[in-house]
């Protein structure tokens, strides 16, 4: 009887000891990155309060147009073949033979170009900012005016190449335009409405489509077919109200003078 009572007390003491050990492990604090002080008792770790996290939200930088996959980008060149590496005339650089990669890197280093206007084509739901320059890095942001060509609203052929399948792909539905559809350009000089006169498909090397015209017209160019740069789709149109060229004033006739005569017999002498 005494042996059983002794065994029972031994068992209870073991359970108490085990419970105490588990509780100590559960409340133990993880060791900090710095070692405890030298005079701290062995096994005692000082508690380190956590630093508050600052709730600061900074504005995200403008990422510009989303990059397109490299294969698609190479197959979406709206310019006539051989002009993709031409420097941007808008910066004052003379036309040269720089490589496409060099021009693209130079334009990227200038940062996002400044919009110079807007193009609207209600028939295909297009309403997009326009820029100035024919380097690919500028066209990546939207349809861009060909420097040296007439501006919208002026006599002549205003030319705007744009992407069809990459970046914001503004000219995706260019093939859906039909004669009579409106194309509206807005610039600091005003708002100018044109109407589509026709769409043609040309070879990549056909540059005659950007030649000047005697009246106010426009030309939009993009790659064709979609996802390929083998050809170009070209949409042309004419301004609804043609600019009026004020004729130069007619040369003034020389003034006529009449010598004052003397009144006498027989009339004027």
């Amino acid at each position: 009887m005494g042996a059983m009572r002794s065994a029972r007390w031994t068992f209870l003491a073991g359970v108490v000891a085990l419970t105490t050990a588990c509780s100590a492990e559960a409340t133990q604090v993880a060791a900090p990155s710095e070692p405890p002080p030298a005079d701290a008792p062995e096994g005692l770790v000082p508690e380190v309060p956590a630093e508050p996290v600052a709730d600061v939200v900074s504005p995200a930088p403008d990422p510009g147009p989303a990059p397109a996959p490299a294969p698609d980008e190479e197959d979406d060149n709206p310019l006539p073949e051989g002009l993709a590496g031409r420097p941007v005339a808008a910066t004052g650089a003379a036309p040269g033979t720089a490589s496409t990669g060099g021009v693209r890197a130079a334009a990227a280093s200038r940062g996002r170009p400044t919009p110079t206007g807007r193009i609207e084509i209600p028939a295909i739901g297009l309403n997009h900012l326009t820029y100035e320059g024919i380097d690919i890095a500028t066209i990546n942001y939207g349809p861009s005016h060909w420097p040296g060509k007439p501006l919208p609203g002026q006599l002549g052929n205003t030319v705007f190449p744009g992407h069809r399948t990459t970046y914001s792909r503004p000219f995706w539905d260019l093939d859906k335009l039909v004669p009579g559809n409106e194309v509206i350009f807005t610039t600091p000089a005003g708002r100018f409405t044109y109407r589509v006169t026709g769409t043609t498909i040309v070879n990549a090397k056909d540059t005659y489509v950007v030649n000047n015209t005697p009246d106010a017209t426009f030309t939009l160019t993009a790659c064709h077919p979609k996802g390929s740069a083998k050809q170009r789709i070209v949409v042309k149109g004419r301004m609804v109200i043609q600019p009026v060229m004020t004729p130069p004033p007619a040369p003034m006739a020389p003034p006529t003078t009449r010598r004052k005569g003397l009144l006498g017999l027989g009339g004027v002498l």
Side-chain angles (χ1 to χ4, degrees), residues 6 18 29 31 35 42 45 54 58 99 102 104 114 118 128 131-132 146 186 192 196-197 203 214-215 256:
S6 177
L18 180 60
V29 181
E42 184 177 355
V45 179
S58 58
S99 66
R104 183 177 303 168
T114 301
R118 183 174 294 275
H128 206 291
Y131 301 87
E132 182 77 10
W146 191 308
T186 302
F192 308 99
V196 173
T197 56
N203 293 325
D215 52 354
T256 57

Side-chain angles (χ1 to χ4, degrees), residues 226-238:
K226 292 177 179 177
S228 171
K230 292 181 180 180
Q231 296 174 306
R232 301 291 183 269
I233 182 171
V234 180
V235 175
K236 286 186 169 289
R238 189 172 185 271

Side-chain angles (χ1 to χ4, degrees), residues 137-204:
T138 299
I139 297 173
N140 288 347
Y141 286 90
S144 299
H145 173 253
W146 191 308
K149 301 293 183 181
L151 293 170
Q154 296 179 343
L155 284 174
N157 185 20
T158 185
V159 182
F160 282 80
H163 281 308
R164 196 173 184 196
T165 60
T166 59
Y167 297 91
S168 58
R169 57 183 192 179
F171 289 165
W172 174 265
D173 288 327
L174 216 59
D175 57 323
K176 295 182 179 179
L177 295 179
V178 296
N181 287 155
E182 289 187 345
V183 177
I184 305 167
F185 295 97
T186 302
T187 71
R191 184 176 172 89
F192 308 99
T193 301
Y194 294 72
R195 292 192 188 279
V196 173
T197 56
T199 301
T200 57
I201 306 299
V202 301
N203 293 325

Side-chain angles (χ1 to χ4, degrees), residues 33-181:
S33 57
E34 296 182 359
D39 56 351
E42 184 177 355
L44 179 62
V45 179
E47 185 176 353
V48 179
E51 296 183 1
V53 179
D55 186 12
V56 178
V57 179
S58 58
D62 183 3
D72 292 343
E73 186 175 356
E74 294 299 325
D75 291 334
D76 190 11
N77 175 18
L79 297 170
E81 190 173 300
L83 293 177
R86 182 170 174 165
V88 189
T91 62
T97 57
S99 66
T100 303
V103 172
R104 183 177 303 168
S109 67
R110 297 193 304 269
R112 188 185 185 101
T114 301
T116 57
R118 183 174 294 275
I119 180 174
E120 300 171 61
I121 308 180
I124 58 175
L126 177 65
N127 188 332
H128 206 291
L129 293 174
T130 57
Y131 301 87
E132 182 77 10
I134 60 169
D135 62 290
I136 294 299
T138 299
I139 297 173
N140 288 347
Y141 286 90
S144 299
H145 173 253
W146 191 308
K149 301 293 183 181
L151 293 170
Q154 296 179 343
L155 284 174
N157 185 20
T158 185
V159 182
F160 282 80
H163 281 308
R164 196 173 184 196
T165 60
T166 59
Y167 297 91
S168 58
R169 57 183 192 179
F171 289 165
W172 174 265
D173 288 327
L174 216 59
D175 57 323
K176 295 182 179 179
L177 295 179
V178 296
N181 287 155

